[in-house]
Amino acid sequence: MYAVNFLLLSAALFSIGVFGVIARRNAVMVLMSIELILNSVNLNLVAFALMNNDVDGHIFALFVIAVAAAEVGVGLAMVLMIYRNRRSIALDELSEMKG
Amino acid sequence: MSILAVLATDVNVAQNVGFYIIAAIMLFAAFSVVSTSDVVHAALWLVVVLGGVAAQYILAAAEFVAVSQVMVYIGAVMVLFLFGIMLTKSMIGSDTDVNNKGWGVGIPVALLMFGVLAYSVIDAFDNTVLVDPSEVQIASTTTAISDGYLGDYLVPLIALSFVLLAAAVGAIVLARKD
């Protein structure tokens, strides 16, 4: 197994996630794209752990999984609050704070 | 890398075939996540991507991370996503306006990013072969992870537990009605 396999796959997943963050209007879909990005990073960490024959990459991957779970919890709570106040979660309508 | 070059080295062919099949499924599912117009379908395609990532972890000899991925992502995070969709969507079915007006800008940005990443990855790690760990190493991986958590990474682990506590409290405060 070549290391390039894992690294190219995670680069592709990362790019797809970035496209989703830019293109999507629905806040829940943006959060899903962020999950794609975090998973590609995890795949990289595990591949590097295999490359270096060390478990530190696994430990960092588990840290990232835990932080992603916290991020989704807080993010969805914020989306719910915005929906309750505005009856919409379209991100381009949230423009009160622009300069 | 041609087929002959692959066969000449000590690369595990069956492992590669499995990798490419899972990778193709994952890429198709990831495209569907960012291109479908139904939010529920996007969440269900995301399950396919997360399961594929767990399968790749097993191919990369990271069983503990794979099981954690299945439990945390597919078990907990997807339920959160589906609840979030159900609580914020008035109608089930395709939405007409899930994309921004300027969504086309994302295509060149993503392609450019993939090009830069692929160039640097191929430049740095071309022909780096991942050696399969021995059975003894695989059997002691979980022990090594727990040694790391309760040894070198104890302080980050405690800090992370406070992050999770703060996130749980913050989510309750944000979502509470009063």
Side-chain angles (χ1 to χ4, degrees):
Chain A
M1 181 82 93
Y2 286 97
V4 177
N5 287 3
F6 282 117
L7 302 183
L8 281 182
L9 174 64
S10 72
L13 276 185
F14 188 92
S15 306
I16 293 172
V18 168
F19 169 75
V21 169
I22 294 174
R24 288 306 202 183
R25 187 164 171 267
N26 188 318
V28 178
M29 281 179 152
V30 171
L31 281 176
M32 285 184 208
S33 305
I34 292 174
E35 292 305 308
L36 281 182
I37 294 176
L38 289 171
N39 270 282
S40 76
V41 173
N42 267 349
L43 199 56
N44 254 355
L45 287 173
V46 169
F48 284 130
L50 185 61
M51 192 193 298
N52 293 326
N53 211 350
D54 194 9
V55 294
D56 279 1
H58 298 186
I59 292 173
F60 278 106
L62 289 166
F63 273 132
V64 172
I65 288 176
V67 172
E71 171 251 330
V72 169
V74 175
L76 282 174
M78 288 168 63
V79 169
L80 281 187
M81 193 182 66
I82 292 169
Y83 180 76
R84 201 181 299 142
N85 288 336
R86 306 177 54 91
R87 314 309 297 173
S88 161
I89 53 171
L91 291 177
D92 53 355
E93 293 172 9
L94 301 174
S95 55
E96 282 89 14
M97 286 177 72
K98 76 180 172 194
Chain B
M1 58 189 97
S2 67
I3 287 289
L4 284 177
V6 168
L7 290 177
T9 57
D10 55 351
V11 169
N12 188 337
V13 177
Q15 199 182 17
N16 266 293
V17 171
F19 172 87
Y20 284 120
I21 293 173
I22 300 169
I25 296 171
M26 281 168 66
L27 287 179
F28 176 75
F31 272 116
S32 303
V33 169
V34 296
S35 63
T36 182
S37 61
D38 190 332
V39 191
V40 182
H41 287 180
L44 296 180
W45 280 117
L46 188 63
V47 174
V48 177
V49 179
L50 298 176
V53 171
Q56 302 286 18
Y57 289 160
I58 290 177
L59 276 184
E63 288 88 357
F64 189 78
V65 186
V67 172
S68 307
Q69 165 95 4
V70 170
M71 285 199 298
V72 175
Y73 271 113
I74 303 179
V77 170
M78 287 319 299
V79 173
L80 269 182
F81 268 124
L82 289 175
F83 267 106
I85 291 167
M86 286 190 283
L87 290 173
T88 56
K89 233 164 81 90
S90 46
M91 59 158 200
I92 300 292
S94 290
D95 267 338
T96 49
D97 52 353
V98 286
N99 282 344
N100 280 321
K101 279 190 283 292
W103 66 273
V105 183
I107 295 175
V109 171
L111 284 179
L112 189 69
M113 184 163 276
F114 179 71
V116 171
L117 284 173
Y119 174 76
S120 55
V121 159
I122 291 173
D123 193 46
F125 296 107
D126 199 17
N127 295 323
T128 305
V129 178
L130 298 174
V131 183
D132 287 342
S134 64
E135 291 199 13
V136 178
Q137 279 176 319
I138 291 178
S140 65
T141 301
T142 312
T143 315
I145 289 174
S146 66
D147 280 348
Y149 270 130
L150 299 177
D152 291 346
Y153 297 100
L154 184 60
V155 176
L157 182 71
I158 295 173
L160 185 66
S161 66
F162 278 104
V163 168
L164 280 173
L165 178 67
V169 174
I172 293 172
V173 169
L174 282 176
R176 196 176 49 153
K177 274 187 190 150
D178 56 352

